[in-house]
Structure formats: C-alpha cells, structure tokens
Amino acid sequence: MSPKSAPDIVLIGAGIMSATLGVLLKELQPELTIEIFERLDIIAGESSDAWNNAGTGHSAFCELNYTPEKANGSIEIGKAIKIAESFEVSKEFWSFLVQEGCIKSPETFIQSVPHMSFVWGENNVQYLKKRQQMLESNNLFKGMEYSEDPAVLKQWIPLVMEGRDASEKVAATRMEVGTDINFGALTRALINYLQQQEGVHVHLKHEVRDIEREEDGRWYLKVKNLETGKKRKLHTRFVFIGAGGGSLPLLVKSDIPEGKGFGGFPVSGQWLVCKNPAVVERHAAKVYGKASVGAPPMSVPHLDTRMIDGQKALLFGPYAGFSTKFLKNGSWLDLPRSIKFNNIRPMLAAGLDNLPLTKYLIDQVRQSPEERLEALQEFLPEAKIEDWELEVAGQRVQVIKKDPEHGGILEFGTEVVSAADGSIAALLGASPGASTAVSIMLELLQRCFPKMLATPAWQSKLRQMIPSYGQKLADDSILLEQVRTWSNAVLELKK
C-alpha cells in the first residue's frame, strides 16, 4: 500500500521516542495509518545511537545527580524513585514485545551490567552512605550494596582501585540488576516491527520543513525528499515531534500557544574510548561519580562497560562541550535561528543565571589531552593516554522555559509540550530520556488521546502490554517482585 496524503498519525524523527509511540499506538489501534519522517539516511542516527548516549538503563541506581543532598543534609530521593519506576515500566513493555515475537532477540539490545556509584573524600563518602540507606528502604532499590572496604572494592572494580592511594577515603554502592542498553539497536528493532504492519511507512532522507494548522483543526505538513529534492504535502489529525534537538524549531513553526517562550541550550559531548582489549576485559560495571561544580547532569563522569553491536567496549566521559548545533548532524545556525521575540527574555534570563555552566563548557572545550587524562585518572589511577582515543558523542538541547520569578530557567529533564486539543505534541530535553520513553509516551497518550485511553479496549491492552499499568511499583513490593522477575527472565537478565 502506498503512503497516504492524509495519514492518521505523523511521527517526526526515527528515534526511540517516535518508535515507542508508534508501536504503542499500533498495538492499541491496529487500523491506524502512520507516516514516519527522518531527515538522516539511517534510523536512530542521532541521540538514540549507541555512541551518542550513555547506554545506561537509567534506573537511578548509580546516577548521583538524581539524589541531591539538601541544605539540611538529608537526601532527596523522589526523583530517583520516579525514574526507577519508569525504567521498570519500559522493561515490562520491551518484555511484552519480546514475548510476542515483535522483537526477536533481547541480547541484541539489553545486557546485565552492575550499576555502581563511586566517590572519594570524607564528605562524599558520608553522602553516599546516607543515600544508600535512604534508597535501600524503598522496594525499587532493595539489595543495593555499600562498602568502604578496599578489599571488597578491589573485587567489584579492580581497575578503579589499582594504584590508588591507600590512605584515600573511598566508597561505592552496587546494584547487580543494572543494565546496559543499545538504544540504537532497540529503536531499529521497534521500527522494523512497525514497517511490517499494514498502514505504516518510514521515509528516510525526508525533512519536515513546515507545520501549519488548518481551519478544520488538522495539520498541514510540507516535507522535502533530501535525496531527490521532491516536495510533498500531507494532512493529518495528529503530529508527534520526536526529533531530538530538531524538535524545538518545529514546535516554534506549529505556532501553538503552549510552545511559546521555550528556548534551547545545546550541550555537546565527547567520550574517551579504550582501545586496549586487555583493559576493556578487566572492567565489568557502569561506575558513576559526582559531577563537578557547574557541570550539567549529562556530564556526570562515568566509566562504562558497554556492549555495542556484539562487541564489549569501555568508555569514559562524557566531556562536555559547546556547539550552536541542535543536532550532531545539524547547522551552526540552529541556536541563533531559534531565538524569537517570545523566547528571548527566558533565554537571556537563563543565560545570566547559568554563567558558571557557560564557563564550565568553555573550559571543557579547551581541555588538552593531558587534562582529559587527569580526569580519567581520578577513576583509573593507572590509565595510560595511549590506551584511549577521543570520540564525539551526541548533541543534547536542554530546555529553557518561562519562569515568573527568574524570567527563564534552564531545565535538565524532558518536557512534553502539547496543544490543548491534543492534536500535536513535542518532546524537548534530554536525560533520562530513552530509558523512560515508555512512561513519557504513556503520559503523552493521556494528554493527546484521553477519550480512547479511557475505553475498556485500550485499558485492557495496556494492562496486557504493561502488567503494572496504573499502579505504583514503589508502593507494592509483591507486584514489583512479580514484574521484575518476569521481565528479567524474558529479557534474559540477572534476577
């Protein structure tokens, strides 16, 4: 069947978000017609690509920026609980798709890798101990181990402990049920499944150039084939803009009131990739540390065991950087072009409030190889510069939004922006992003398809796909044990 000029659904961007929403909608309403447009010649070529993100099943087991220490010394764990719950929901959905044969082999996209936090210095050790005690009291974090014993830490992370000053105070936590995910491979599996369904068409090398609302409430899109130069026009009743850093300019073009005042602040990244197989083989964990003062959350240093396309890899970073591009394959004019009359005040206010961040990014860009090695040696004291090479990671656009008190604030999470009538939605922002894609898309369904979501048919199907749907795993230890045991078995993960 040829593509329609008036599909039910248009998804912009062939990344993890569009893929997740497309599969959810097609499972809930099989007769829907869906058109997916991607400006690159590959699926998952930007933020979803394995080399462009952390690959961590962001479950808040090891990411210290999700558990900030408050002024009174207590640890805030609310965000960590929400993220951990969301990740379990993602695992349930992926398990359903594997069980149904929609995704063939779980090992192509997900592996068991312990998640660890590692700190040094008396204050940081005290913080980590309090964090572990707080988290371990919640069902989602049961089994989180804590140790300050160098002998134990040498067993967990031998490379990290080798050559370390014996007098240095160190501590670590470990969750054996952590994961490593190739979101590029997962996205390709989801899109591949979608392409096999009737009424779904994926168009690579196609760029959505304009979005306008018609008088009848439908959306009119102008699309250009970047290979042939041919232009196409189509109408649809629902548009999802899941184009990573490219979402903001398209949201602006939609001219919906809800999109006014949003700006974007691009942050780029780089990895040090280990090219010595002997070193790679001796490390088997994702080890997260504490971010430097002024560093954005995506720059929390971590030493990561990764499985990318069947090969074990070891990455350290990311080293932050600044680029005016909104996409890795974007334009240097992306940032200046994004400045409009309705967002200039929030952007200026956020810029003035975040001068330390700007200085941090500039300093990172100017780092020498020796300075990067110095940061690595805080994790691996015996690291040698010849064993590592620098690779460019992905581009993220952090959200700037209006704020009555400051004029504008810089957000480091994800933000779903949708029209009042639910006919268009865009996803802005970054971390934890891909790991919580299913929960984010469920929130989008609630906003944009409320009547359908309330029907017995959709409710029943959602509970089939996500057994814990509508329930809080953090509050129900029995349900959590059931769904985690099931999903870990289906996904072939450690129990």
Side-chain angles (χ1 to χ4, degrees), residues 403-464:
D403 180 74
E405 193 178 328
H406 295 271
I409 54 170
L410 186 64
E411 294 271 331
F412 287 107
T414 45
E415 180 103 16
V416 176
V417 182
S418 56
D421 65 356
S423 63
I424 189 168
L427 184 82
L428 306 177
S431 182
S435 300
T436 59
V438 179
S439 292
I440 293 169
M441 292 304 110
L442 289 174
E443 180 196 334
L444 186 145
L445 293 179
Q446 210 161 10
R447 289 195 198 186
C448 300
F449 301 88
K451 288 182 181 174
M452 294 304 298
L453 193 64
T455 62
W458 275 39
Q459 286 289 310
S460 173
K461 185 65 180 182
L462 279 167
R463 281 192 291 273
Q464 184 191 346

Side-chain angles (χ1 to χ4, degrees), residues 23-34:
V23 173
L24 278 169
L25 285 170
K26 199 65 179 167
E27 289 292 311
L28 290 165
Q29 199 85 12
E31 68 272 20
L32 286 174
T33 54
I34 301 175

Side-chain angles (χ1 to χ4, degrees), residues 97-234:
L97 294 174
V98 169
Q99 213 165 45
E100 293 294 304
C102 311
I103 297 176
K104 301 301 177 200
S105 308
E107 72 273 9
T108 59
F109 74 90
I110 190 166
Q111 307 280 335
S112 289
V113 173
H115 281 200
M116 296 183 60
S117 304
F118 178 75
V119 298
W120 51 91
E122 185 63 46
N123 290 343
N124 289 336
V125 167
Q126 289 308 311
Y127 157 79
L128 192 65
K129 190 171 190 175
K130 280 190 289 185
R131 176 185 184 271
Q132 185 264 347
Q133 289 167 349
M134 287 285 290
L135 288 177
E136 230 259 330
S137 65
N138 185 278
N139 300 321
L140 290 153
F141 300 89
K142 279 275 184 292
M144 180 180 279
E145 300 171 86
Y146 173 87
S147 183
E148 297 173 27
D149 184 347
V152 172
L153 299 184
K154 275 177 188 170
Q155 289 181 335
W156 289 355
I157 37 175
L159 282 181
V160 174
M161 294 302 291
E162 267 178 23
R164 194 167 290 278
D165 185 341
S167 66
E168 187 177 37
K169 186 88 170 161
V170 294
T173 56
R174 181 172 73 159
M175 282 289 280
E176 281 281 4
V177 293
T179 55
D180 171 67
I181 300 174
N182 184 330
F183 284 108
L186 174 59
T187 303
R188 288 188 287 275
L190 294 173
I191 299 260
N192 181 55
Y193 170 66
L194 275 174
Q195 285 181 293
Q196 294 167 27
Q197 310 309 303
E198 192 176 343
V200 179
H201 295 94
V202 179
H203 309 275
L204 302 180
K205 292 189 180 179
H206 279 67
E207 185 170 45
V208 176
R209 290 291 177 89
D210 203 7
I211 307 176
E212 294 174 18
R213 193 194 282 273
E214 301 277 73
E215 286 183 11
D216 64 1
R218 292 191 304 168
W219 290 94
Y220 169 69
L221 281 74
K222 294 178 183 174
V223 183
K224 183 177 181 180
N225 183 324
L226 299 177
E227 195 167 31
T228 65
K230 190 177 176 183
K231 292 176 182 175
R232 180 183 165 198
K233 298 168 184 175
L234 68 157

Side-chain angles (χ1 to χ4, degrees), residues 6-31:
D8 298 313
I9 308 287
V10 169
L11 307 175
I12 304 174
I16 187 65
M17 295 297 173
S18 290
T20 301
L21 180 59
V23 173
L24 278 169
L25 285 170
K26 199 65 179 167
E27 289 292 311
L28 290 165
Q29 199 85 12
E31 68 272 20

